[in-house]
Amino acid sequence: MPTEAVSNVVGPNPRLPGGAPQPSRSTRVWQLTGISTLAGAIALTAIAVPSLVATDEQRPEGAAVPAAPTASAAPSAAPSVIASSPGPTRQSTGTAAEPRAPGRDLAASQPGRQATPAPPPRPSATPDRTTKPPSFSPVSVEAEDPGNVLSEGAGIATCPTCEGGARVRYVGRLTANLTTTAAGSRTVTVTYQLKGDRSLMISINGAVPTVHRLTGTDWSTPRTFRYTADVPAGRISMAFYNDTGPAPDIDKITIS
């Protein structure tokens, strides 16, 4: 039998004109692989869709659907630190906040503003206390008072016309002691008895004496004379005497 006749019996030759093309074995393998991949995708879809539906049903109404993270999303930046201070809020630049000293002026921590110095403390108001000088009251002493000192022949004699009924006679020296409440220029009044003219010297606390020329008509009529002297406060001593002769009789001394 000829060779070509045998070939027709076995099958048509793909290279002959009019023959149907037959798929190769490798082509069938790729077709089976694609069908398997599609079947796997359908199976995964059947598993994932019910879970997504259930998740949507459990989500509260109006809640936002969280966006799926993407690989290209960059990590969020760290939040900036806000420094807490009593003054206006300032955003930190990344350095540690400087501690504020107690009582520091807020204007000193703000740029562009000059610190206002604190006003000086006001002095506490004190009431005006004007010290009044002590008042002065007139003081008197009888010449015959036991607190006085009689010397150089002076002695006490009765006198019906004298205040207190007595006087000091034969005055060599009489020292009268008095106490005044305030110093100042005072009027000194001396009550005496005298017939004729005599001199009387008076010294206060040992100061230079003043000399007084006195006159009288008899030894039974009291007479007075006055003069102005600077008198200190407190206890004072007044000396009555006459260095050139006898002195008049002394009855009373008054400072007013």
Side-chain angles (χ1 to χ4, degrees):
M1 178 180 292
T3 303
E4 292 181 3
V6 174
S7 298
N8 290 335
V9 173
V10 175
N13 190 347
R15 296 183 180 181
L16 295 179
Q22 297 295 325
S24 63
R25 190 168 185 175
S26 60
T27 303
R28 291 176 182 175
V29 173
W30 283 107
Q31 289 175 353
L32 292 176
T33 302
I35 293 172
S36 300
T37 302
L38 179 60
I42 295 173
L44 291 176
T45 303
I47 295 173
V49 169
S51 62
L52 293 176
V53 173
T55 303
D56 291 339
E57 291 177 354
Q58 294 175 0
R59 184 179 297 111
E61 183 180 356
V65 178
T70 60
S72 60
S76 59
S80 59
V81 179
I82 304 301
S84 175
S85 63
T89 303
R90 296 181 300 170
Q91 186 172 1
S92 175
T93 58
T95 58
E98 179 183 359
R100 295 174 59 87
R104 182 181 179 183
D105 191 1
L106 292 179
S109 62
Q110 298 179 0
R113 293 187 58 183
Q114 295 181 352
T116 303
R122 299 178 60 185
S124 58
T126 56
D128 184 13
R129 298 178 180 177
T130 303
T131 303
K132 295 182 179 180
S135 58
F136 177 82
S137 299
V139 291
S140 298
V141 63
E142 296 289 335
E144 68 274 12
D145 188 275
N148 298 336
V149 177
L150 306 179
S151 60
E152 299 180 13
I156 299 173
T158 60
C159 176
T161 58
C162 295
E163 186 172 348
R167 66 186 181 196
V168 175
R169 299 191 67 185
Y170 313 111
V171 176
R173 192 175 186 90
L174 166 65
T175 303
N177 297 312
L178 304 92
T179 301
T180 60
T181 57
S185 180
R186 309 300 177 191
T187 299
V188 179
T189 302
V190 179
T191 303
Y192 68 96
Q193 288 180 337
L194 173 63
K195 183 179 181 180
D197 297 329
R198 293 184 180 183
S199 296
L200 182 64
M201 306 176 72
I202 304 175
S203 173
I204 299 177
N205 287 348
V208 177
T210 57
V211 180
H212 308 273
R213 188 72 180 174
L214 304 179
T215 185
T217 57
D218 56 68
W219 296 102
S220 60
T221 303
R223 300 177 67 89
T224 60
F225 81 93
R226 297 177 178 85
Y227 78 101
T228 301
D230 291 330
V231 179
R235 186 174 178 81
I236 63 174
S237 296
M238 299 183 67
F240 299 85
Y241 59 96
N242 185 3
D243 287 341
T244 60
D249 296 351
I250 308 299
D251 180 20
K252 183 180 180 180
I253 303 99
T254 300
I255 300 177
S256 59

